[in-house]
Amino acid sequence: MGGVLTVTTDSQGRTTDVSYVIAPDSPASPTPRLAAPGRDDYDSWCENGTVRSRKINDYTAEVKGNGAYGDSKGAIGSFDVVYRQSFDGKRPRWRTVLDWDSGPEINPGVWTNNCRVNVSGGPDDYCGKSEVNLASINAAAPRGWWPSNHRWAYNEQRLTGGGKYHDDHEGEFTAFGHRQLFKAGVLHTGRWHKCNSSTGCQYYQVPWKP
């Protein structure tokens, strides 16, 4: 993810370090163009960038990554991944879409939306997850949604307390005609808190910052 393909091992198994720019970075628009009602803008928003996040409102945010994959010979294909998170009170819920751009058919493997608790000075804890079951995508069927373009996959537990939280989105896939298992980079919609208030959880940092 991020528009740069990094090769760490060549075809003979030797260590190497070669990077290919697949999607050049571009400045983020301060006011992203919104799609018409009933449609999304995922084919135009951040299409020539790397990774972008945006806050729709205090309770909803999206992140998009332009992904490229390949081997020691260079790029094989590319696709976009978009995660949308919208709170149901104190319970996170996600919608996922993979959007084919180039290359052979992509067959998703294990993908997860992970809820994480921010821990200062140590590894972040987990606060639940949502399994993502995506269909294959290709030139004829370029989009694969989970659970659909209007339904949600829920976190398995409600959040309580005054802590701060974020999410990790990650997955793996294979490409038709290639034996490798590729892993997508981790994406984040942003950070949220105030899960002990009457209004439920709210975002306080979008875009994501480490």
Side-chain angles (χ1 to χ4, degrees):
M1 292 299 169
V4 177
L5 171 66
T6 301
V7 179
T8 57
T9 306
D10 66 16
S11 57
Q12 280 74 48
R14 295 172 299 197
T15 300
T16 186
D17 186 11
V18 181
S19 296
Y20 303 87
V21 177
I22 306 301
D25 200 1
S26 62
S29 171
T31 55
R33 181 175 62 84
L34 297 179
R39 302 181 60 184
D40 62 61
D41 62 347
Y42 298 156
D43 287 325
S44 58
W45 170 53
C46 185
E47 190 62 17
N48 296 315
T50 54
V51 176
R52 293 281 182 264
S53 299
R54 60 183 176 184
K55 186 169 74 170
I56 308 302
N57 54 49
D58 285 346
Y59 314 101
T60 304
E62 292 181 326
V63 60
K64 177 181 179 181
N66 290 277
Y69 62 98
D71 55 21
S72 59
K73 298 177 181 178
I76 294 174
S78 60
F79 65 97
D80 301 331
V81 56
V82 180
Y83 293 98
R84 182 182 179 97
Q85 195 287 128
S86 184
F87 292 108
D88 181 5
K90 300 177 182 179
R91 197 174 182 182
R93 55 184 183 170
W94 295 279
R95 183 180 298 155
T96 307
V97 61
L98 297 186
D99 194 351
W100 179 91
D101 280 334
S102 67
E105 179 175 276
I106 293 174
N107 302 296
V110 177
W111 289 69
T112 56
N113 302 325
N114 298 297
C115 176
R116 305 296 300 271
V117 182
N118 298 346
V119 176
S120 179
D124 292 335
D125 200 0
Y126 285 88
C127 46
K129 68 178 181 178
S130 169
E131 299 288 348
V132 180
N133 298 303
L134 293 159
S136 298
I137 56 174
N138 51 49
R143 282 193 173 187
W145 292 88
W146 178 259
S148 75
N149 63 348
H150 62 278
R151 295 170 53 233
W152 299 98
Y154 279 79
N155 191 34
E156 60 191 19
Q157 60 184 279
R158 294 181 182 275
L159 305 182
T160 60
K164 296 182 178 181
Y165 305 87
H166 67 276
D167 46 14
D168 291 349
H169 306 283
E170 54 190 341
E172 59 190 29
F173 63 95
T174 58
F176 182 80
H178 300 269
R179 293 182 298 175
Q180 302 101 314
L181 178 66
F182 299 99
K183 292 186 179 293
V186 178
L187 296 176
H188 315 274
T189 56
R191 298 181 185 272
W192 63 80
H193 61 172
K194 295 186 177 179
C195 293
N196 59 343
S197 68
S198 58
T199 57
C201 305
Q202 297 180 33
Y203 278 99
Y204 69 90
Q205 186 190 81
V206 180
W208 158 271
K209 295 180 181 178

